[in-house]
Amino acid sequence: MQTILSIGADALSYGMVLFIISIGLSVTMGLMKVVNLAHGAFAMIGGYIASYATQQMGLPFGVAIIAAVLGTMLVAVPLERFLYRRIYGAPELTQVLMTIGITFAIIGIANFAMGPTLKTIALPSQLQGPVDLGFRTIAAHKLFAAAVGVVVAIALWFIIERTPFGVRLRASVDDAAMAGALGIRTKIIYAVSFALAVGLAALGGVVGAQLLPIEPYYALHYMVTFLVVVSVGGAGSITGALVAALLLGAVQTTGRYLMPEYGEFFFYLAVIAIVCVFPNGLMGRSK
Amino acid sequence: MSLFEVKNLRKNFGGLAVTDDVSLSLQKGDRIALIGPNGAGKTTFVNLVTGHLKPLSGTVHLDGQNVTKASPTQRVKQGLVRSFQVTRLFSEMTPEEHVALAILQRLGRSGHLFTNFKTMPEVVEEIGSILALLGLGGIARTPVAEIAYGQQRLLEIALAMALRPKVLLLDEPAAGVPSSDTVLIERALAQLPPGLAVLMIEHDMDFVFRFAQRVVVLAAGAIIFDGTPAEVGKDARVREAYLGSYADDRSVA
Amino acid sequence: MSETTLNPSASTPLWRRSVTRDLVAVLILAAVAVALFFLFPSNLALLTRIVAMMLLVLSLDLVTGYSGVATLGHATLFGAGAYAAGIVAAKFGITDPLLMLAVGALAGAAAGAISSLVILRGHGLSQLVLSIAVVSLAHEAANKLSGWTGGSDGLSGISPSALFGMFRFDLFGRTAFIMSVVLLLVVFVVLRIIVRSPFGMLCRGIKQDPVRIRAMGAPVYFTLVKMYAIAGAVAGLGGALSAIATKVVGLDSLSFTLSAEALVMLVLGGTGKLFGALVGTLVFVWFEDRVSAINPFHWLTIVGCLLVAVVLFAPKGLTGAAEAIWKRMRGARS
Ligand SMILES: Nc1ncnc2c1ncn2[C@@H]1O[C@H](COP(=O)(O)OP(=O)(O)OP(=O)(O)O)[C@@H](O)[C@H]1O
Ligand SMILES: [Mg+2]
């Protein structure tokens, strides 16, 4: 029973971190149809900024989160303007290559600037200790990660379903050409969504730094996991990404607890099974 | 027994009946035109009988055999060939290669690994004669992306001919072709083997009158007329179906 | 525009011309290999590694460049060949290098056919994810089966016997290099024949429009599985070659990273052209060796920027860019 609860708690917080990071990728894939392999690199940049802010500059955690999100967006906007915009609608292979290229370059630069070692983010004292839930205790930062995930899901749902921006976004996802003809400036929608996606990645990178430690190869290690979440969930679907992140988080966490010697074997087996049965993702629209 | 027989074919797209209990048969040597307003379900009909779409119900028989469950490739092998309303060709390949591929496929050699069609005199000869027939000899080795759309439409017909079908379904072979060039397409169709059964979808009624001995009209997924070209203009239901989109078209009225 | 008319007598020289071109290509490759042999006698191990990678990238070109399958898991086939050749040598005493190559090719072909059944289920993003999942699954399996594969320590104890019983694999890697070059030339010629064959044309057709191929009555799925098996044999030869030449097989031969690198090499050289695969691999691995000796992370930065530049400015790769320049020069002259 204890094991099940520990696994459950870990799976929940890990799954939520996956969700926070992957949902941005899901939006860019659903909307701009860009297979953005560099998404994890943006989460990593967020993690580095937060680490630098808390450890080197002594800023409080909350300020570090905001700095990470804004700083990462600042890096991403020119990339969107000058690189990504050129590959919207290009064949997958082209997109894969360009974004792998960006990933490699960011890894190299991160190592040059920050060194090859693990970087930690100083947590405020409230998030350091365990929290007593009555039936058991759980690390506060894990609870915090899960809570942030819930907030992100609700906020995104609100933005997409209830705001004028959301209406335009959905119209552009459904049919970019038609939305353009209706006077929606898709270029701006794209740029804003991209910034939003990158901001979420950075947020996830900071909040999840205890679970996905920040180091230069972060961008490559977890790239596959994020892609898998989007693919299993179905590009462009919030619910899909949430379900997929929790499901895959559970598979991965359970595997680590119960059969560590098998590594990620069962995780990939599950991925193959799910994608073979649902090639458009659990919640994806069939073409 | 007809050469090609479709019975009670049905298909819905999200509740909308796009093919509504359609039955149709073709005999050897038939020249039939399938007409109908835009969105009537003509292309869907072709997609259904060739196996590119799955029907809700109904059967398709080809040469006495039930092919309702057969894959598109099996149907082609049994002699049911179609062309596409919007040209589907391989933009980086030449017309010569296109026709070669079709001939090799027909001969069962398309999976060969260590041969080359250029060393097969009979294939080279046939490619030459088909391309010459359609007036494409001069551009045999120009990538398709670089040739005119009218020529691409002719190449679509060349591919169909190279497969030597028993039943040929042509989906608007002249669509998108400048009117000065439609005569080329008509001439190509006149060269088709007389024993072949051809069903052609076409909007240009003058062309239809010259081509077909029989006209079938499809409206809102259902066949509303099946008869001679002379009768079609007089039919009240056909006029009604065309009202709106074709009310002022002199060739129908 | 060429105003060729078609008749049988005019087409005969045309296929002769392609045979002549093959001969010229082989001569050029052989000449380059001989030059490298004498210019860089102390780098033969690196050069042999490059040839093994060339086989992997050629194989990827068959699947991606000629048939349009997007994959980030192609190292599966290379690793299958490497481990199969290594295991028969280390555990079963089959140390004849030619037999090891044959085992590698067979294992690669089998791995190709089997993995294609999974990968071809997807399209676009799901195809990429499936291909990554396949190579990762194979990687984890090889790690777990350490009794057979040596796990993360790598598989050692491979000592190939002398080639034809006469030529021992010397310390300088001369035998390995010569064998690898001959192997590469043979594979190259065979692949040139295959990509021009009816089957090769069919694959190119599938890449451009599978629906049209079906409407011509040709099978899409089966054709791609077959192409995957052929590509697997080629990649498997590459893997076996690397096992013979380096005498170890590591988990990295079955990794996502190697798969991604192979794709980078292919695109750098130019997809859909066998020469492109060779040029891309040579340039990439050679520079990687030089730059990463100084600092591996600088190498990553350079590759990253290079990739972005290739996508933006030379989407047809180095060979494509060279062709364009050549054409322009010829156009200017005439
Ligand atoms: N894949 C599909 N999904 C949903 N609806 C479809 C699909 N394909 C066609 N339709 C709808 O089915 C109807 C019939 O389409 P179809 O293409 O068969 O018409 P058509 O008679 O060939 O028209 P046209 O003369 O314009 O070529 C149209 O209303 C079309 O919008
Ligand atoms: Mg139509």
Side-chain angles (χ1 to χ4, degrees):
Chain A
M1 198 58 204
Q2 271 305 315
T3 335
I4 295 179
L5 285 175
S6 323
I7 295 178
D10 276 10
L12 180 69
S13 60
Y14 178 66
M16 279 305 197
V17 169
L18 285 187
F19 168 72
I20 301 171
I21 300 180
S22 310
I23 184 62
L25 183 59
S26 182
V27 168
T28 42
M29 269 189 203
L31 178 60
M32 286 90 116
K33 314 275 180 296
V34 172
V35 182
N36 181 11
L37 299 189
H39 193 75
F42 294 118
M44 178 180 86
I45 294 177
Y48 272 122
I49 295 178
S51 163
Y52 190 81
T54 54
Q55 306 285 22
Q56 248 76 27
M57 300 168 67
L59 293 173
F61 186 62
V63 177
I65 290 187
I66 295 171
V69 171
L70 294 182
T72 311
M73 284 179 171
L74 215 61
V75 174
V77 165
L79 287 181
E80 197 272 343
R81 174 67 188 77
F82 294 108
L83 298 182
Y84 281 85
R85 221 171 260 188
R86 306 240 198 154
I87 53 168
Y88 293 157
E92 268 114 25
L93 196 64
T94 311
Q95 302 179 340
V96 163
L97 287 162
M98 158 94 79
T99 56
I100 276 197
I102 294 173
T103 311
F104 282 174
I106 292 179
I107 294 176
I109 294 168
N111 178 71
F112 181 72
M114 312 297 286
T117 52
L118 278 184
K119 288 281 181 271
T120 55
I121 299 172
L123 291 176
S125 53
Q126 302 94 305
L127 291 182
Q128 281 176 7
V131 177
D132 195 346
L133 291 181
F135 55 96
R136 59 163 286 114
T137 57
I138 175 174
H141 69 85
K142 289 184 183 171
L143 210 58
F144 178 67
V148 172
V150 173
V151 171
V152 164
I154 293 174
L156 265 183
W157 173 83
F158 183 80
I159 291 176
I160 291 178
E161 298 292 328
R162 291 292 149 93
T163 63
F165 173 75
V167 173
R168 299 206 173 96
L169 182 69
R170 276 182 288 145
S172 313
V173 172
D174 280 342
D175 189 339
M178 184 55 108
L182 289 176
I184 295 173
R185 284 188 289 174
T186 47
K187 266 194 186 154
I188 296 192
I189 298 277
Y190 283 8
V192 172
S193 317
F194 191 84
L196 183 74
V198 165
L200 284 172
L203 177 65
V206 178
V207 172
Q210 257 73 20
L211 298 164
L212 315 178
I214 302 294
E215 43 97 21
Y217 277 107
Y218 180 109
L220 214 52
H221 279 168
Y222 303 111
M223 165 167 102
V224 174
T225 316
F226 305 144
L227 266 187
V228 162
V229 169
V230 174
S231 173
V232 167
S237 156
I238 300 183
T239 349
L242 189 59
V243 172
L246 291 176
L247 182 70
L248 293 170
V251 172
Q252 226 168 358
T253 311
T254 314
R256 275 192 205 133
Y257 265 88
L258 301 183
M259 290 164 292
E261 74 277 14
Y262 278 95
E264 309 278 293
F265 186 84
F266 290 102
F267 173 72
Y268 288 111
L269 206 59
V271 169
I272 290 177
I274 298 174
V275 179
C276 275
V277 179
F278 303 98
N280 295 308
L282 293 172
M283 306 272 166
R285 285 178 270 185
S286 63
K287 281 176 212 138
Chain B
M1 191 75 209
S2 310
L3 174 61
F4 180 61
E5 182 142 24
V6 179
K7 275 195 200 137
N8 307 105
L9 207 62
R10 288 178 188 276
K11 176 79 183 176
N12 290 353
F13 280 132
L16 176 76
V18 188
T19 304
D20 189 4
D21 199 17
V22 170
S23 302
L24 186 72
S25 64
L26 267 71
Q27 315 295 337
K28 221 165 171 272
D30 268 356
R31 293 288 184 276
I32 296 186
L34 178 64
I35 65 170
N38 290 97
K42 304 179 296 291
T43 301
T44 305
F45 173 76
V46 172
N47 284 334
L48 286 172
V49 299
T50 51
H52 289 264
L53 283 174
K54 274 202 180 64
L56 206 61
S57 62
T59 58
V60 182
H61 282 82
L62 179 63
D63 223 356
Q65 284 190 41
N66 187 344
V67 294
T68 317
K69 297 246 149 44
S71 70
T73 58
Q74 278 170 319
R75 297 182 208 212
V76 174
K77 282 184 187 144
Q78 295 188 31
L80 177 61
V81 170
R82 68 165 306 174
S83 75
F84 291 92
Q85 181 172 355
V86 178
T87 309
R88 302 194 79 124
L89 296 169
F90 314 120
S91 53
E92 292 162 22
M93 290 198 201
T94 63
E96 182 186 33
E97 287 174 309
H98 278 80
V99 178
L101 211 44
I103 295 173
L104 291 164
Q105 172 56 31
R106 187 192 81 221
L107 298 174
R109 297 186 201 162
S110 69
H112 286 198
L113 286 174
F114 301 106
T115 57
N116 192 321
F117 77 90
K118 288 172 184 159
T119 61
M120 304 172 190
E122 72 287 5
V123 174
V124 172
E125 202 164 338
E126 190 180 339
I127 297 170
S129 63
I130 289 180
L131 289 179
L133 189 69
L134 296 180
L136 296 172
I139 45 146
R141 291 187 185 140
T142 310
V144 159
E146 295 168 21
I147 70 178
Y149 193 74
Q151 293 172 317
Q152 295 186 13
R153 297 303 295 167
L154 286 167
L155 184 54
E156 279 262 347
I157 298 173
L159 286 185
M161 288 171 68
L163 292 167
R164 296 214 184 138
K166 295 176 193 151
V167 177
L168 178 58
L169 311 174
L170 295 167
D171 195 351
E172 303 197 24
V177 178
S179 49
S180 54
D181 287 355
T182 48
V183 49
L184 286 175
I185 293 183
E186 277 199 63
R187 207 166 59 201
L189 296 186
Q191 307 272 359
L192 292 172
L196 175 67
V198 186
L199 179 136
M200 178 178 75
I201 299 174
E202 183 50 60
H203 283 298
D204 178 349
M205 294 308 291
D206 295 329
F207 188 2
V208 165
F209 286 142
R210 284 195 295 273
F211 171 80
Q213 327 132 344
R214 190 179 137 204
V215 179
V216 176
V217 183
L218 201 66
I223 293 185
I224 57 164
F225 175 87
D226 189 337
T228 65
E231 294 160 357
V232 69
K234 303 186 195 107
D235 190 276
R237 289 182 62 192
V238 175
R239 282 172 173 241
E240 196 187 325
Y242 270 91
L243 268 179
S245 55
Y246 282 84
D248 49 4
D249 192 324
R250 66 175 169 84
S251 48
V252 172
Chain C
M1 210 180 282
S2 62
E3 284 291 317
T4 12
T5 42
L6 275 175
N7 61 60
S9 62
S11 72
T12 317
L14 207 88
W15 70 264
R16 283 233 185 94
R17 212 186 301 164
S18 56
V19 172
T20 320
R21 264 198 232 146
D22 284 356
L23 274 177
V24 171
V26 166
L27 285 179
I28 291 175
L29 288 183
V32 170
V34 170
L36 289 174
F37 183 85
F38 287 109
L39 285 176
F40 302 99
S42 56
N43 288 80
L44 292 184
L46 172 66
L47 289 170
T48 307
R49 193 159 67 83
I50 290 178
V51 173
M53 286 305 292
M54 281 174 171
L55 290 170
L56 169 62
V57 179
L58 279 175
S59 159
L60 181 62
D61 200 10
L62 294 181
V63 165
T64 302
Y66 284 94
S67 314
V69 179
T71 167
L72 277 169
H74 211 64
T76 317
L77 319 186
F78 182 85
Y83 273 111
I87 288 171
V88 295
K91 313 276 174 189
F92 297 98
I94 299 177
T95 54
D96 181 80
L98 293 183
L99 267 181
M100 286 171 70
L101 285 175
V103 168
L106 276 180
I114 293 168
S115 67
S116 74
L117 298 181
V118 172
I119 292 172
L120 295 175
R121 287 275 313 162
H123 297 282
L125 172 64
S126 56
Q127 190 163 65
L128 281 172
V129 165
L130 282 174
S131 68
I132 296 173
V134 164
V135 73
S136 308
L137 192 71
H139 184 271
E140 297 295 329
N143 191 20
K144 180 74 183 69
L145 296 172
S146 52
W148 288 99
T149 62
S152 51
D153 298 334
L155 174 66
S156 50
I158 305 168
S159 45
S161 49
L163 184 62
F164 301 121
M166 286 190 285
F167 307 103
R168 306 208 25 186
F169 286 93
D170 53 307
L171 267 182
F172 307 101
R174 285 196 203 111
T175 312
F177 179 69
I178 294 169
M179 181 181 85
S180 68
V181 168
V182 172
L183 179 67
L184 180 70
L185 290 179
V186 171
V187 169
F188 184 75
V189 170
V190 170
L191 291 189
R192 277 185 70 112
I193 293 171
I194 288 180
V195 299
R196 281 193 304 246
S197 71
F199 174 77
M201 281 165 55
L202 199 56
C203 289
R204 278 190 288 147
I206 289 174
K207 177 186 178 187
Q208 293 170 54
D209 190 349
V211 175
R212 165 44 90 186
I213 288 290
R214 280 201 195 94
M216 285 163 87
V220 169
Y221 191 76
F222 175 74
T223 306
L224 289 179
V225 172
K226 186 166 154 187
M227 190 51 142
Y228 243 102
I230 294 170
V234 174
L237 279 174
L241 177 64
S242 102
I244 294 169
T246 59
K247 302 191 172 67
V248 287
V249 180
L251 278 178
D252 55 337
S253 67
L254 207 53
S255 65
F256 166 73
T257 318
L258 181 64
S259 309
E261 277 179 356
L263 192 60
V264 172
M265 294 178 214
L266 176 59
V267 172
L268 179 65
T271 57
K273 290 172 287 221
L274 297 177
F275 250 118
L278 304 186
V279 171
T281 313
L282 181 67
V283 171
F284 184 98
V285 183
W286 188 268
F287 275 101
E288 179 187 35
D289 187 70
R290 290 296 132 110
V291 180
S292 60
I294 307 166
N295 181 332
F297 281 98
H298 286 337
W299 168 241
L300 267 184
T301 316
I302 292 173
V303 173
C305 297
L306 192 71
L307 256 181
V308 173
V310 166
V311 171
L312 290 184
F313 305 115
K316 297 201 167 151
L318 294 175
T319 51
E323 254 172 49
I325 293 172
W326 169 246
K327 268 194 195 140
R328 200 174 310 156
M329 276 173 27
R330 281 220 314 202
R333 231 187 298 150
S334 63

